Amino acid sequence: MADSKNLTGVRVMVIDDSNTIRRSAEIFLMQAGCQVILADNGFDALAKIADHQPDLIFVDIMMPRLDGYQTCALIKNNHSFRATPVIMLSSKDGLFDKARGRIVGSEQYLTKPFTREELLGAIRRYVETART
């Protein structure tokens, strides 16, 4: 657990309409010392982003009303949050889905179900870059 210390205090938002995915991510992230902000849809997330100013955002692609691509595009089109890393989450791992994620501005793509190591590794990749 020693290498999770560098994640203490990192604010991470998880946007997913699946309670199971949100809860799993929350447990992994809290164990690593992260502050976790949860949202169950894109609209809920957009309202919380300004209040909580997350350091990194995980967003599910398949959500009702406002999907992950649209949510990511809205985040990246906002001057205040353009630099916030957005990592897409999806049960699909097709080339088209990954490319579409890049087009709307996401930094990375994780396939669900993700492991604790994949989730924390993705955060370390961007947090350590931002801190140096």
Side-chain angles (χ1 to χ4, degrees):
M1 276 283 182
D3 66 3
S4 67
K5 286 182 181 167
N6 62 347
L7 298 182
T8 300
V10 175
R11 290 180 311 275
V12 179
M13 175 173 270
V14 178
I15 312 165
D16 201 304
D17 59 332
S18 163
N19 188 49
T20 304
I21 295 294
R22 282 195 317 273
R23 188 72 183 122
S24 297
E26 181 182 31
I27 291 166
F28 293 154
L29 296 169
M30 289 180 77
Q31 287 173 344
C34 296
Q35 295 175 27
V36 183
I37 305 114
L38 300 175
D40 60 6
N41 63 64
F43 289 110
D44 183 31
L46 294 173
K48 291 179 177 180
I49 288 171
D51 291 340
H52 297 281
Q53 311 247 332
D55 297 310
L56 186 135
I57 300 169
F58 289 99
V59 61
D60 180 29
I61 290 175
M62 300 297 292
M63 295 185 295
R65 295 175 52 211
L66 191 65
D67 71 21
Y69 297 120
Q70 295 164 318
T71 303
C72 180
L74 288 167
I75 293 165
K76 292 299 185 172
N77 285 327
N78 182 310
H79 183 71
S80 300
F81 305 107
R82 184 173 294 147
T84 304
V86 176
I87 299 172
M88 306 301 277
L89 298 173
S90 180
S91 51
K92 299 191 227 172
D93 66 351
L95 190 59
F96 175 77
D97 299 304
K98 292 178 182 180
R100 189 168 172 204
R102 290 277 186 207
I103 289 168
V104 296
S106 72
E107 276 70 22
Q108 192 175 336
Y109 190 101
L110 278 185
T111 305
K112 296 190 286 187
F114 47 78
T115 65
R116 179 181 189 277
E117 291 72 29
E118 289 170 327
L119 196 69
L120 299 181
I123 297 169
R124 281 191 196 97
R125 178 175 175 186
Y126 296 102
V127 170
E128 288 173 1
T129 303
R131 289 182 176 173
T132 55

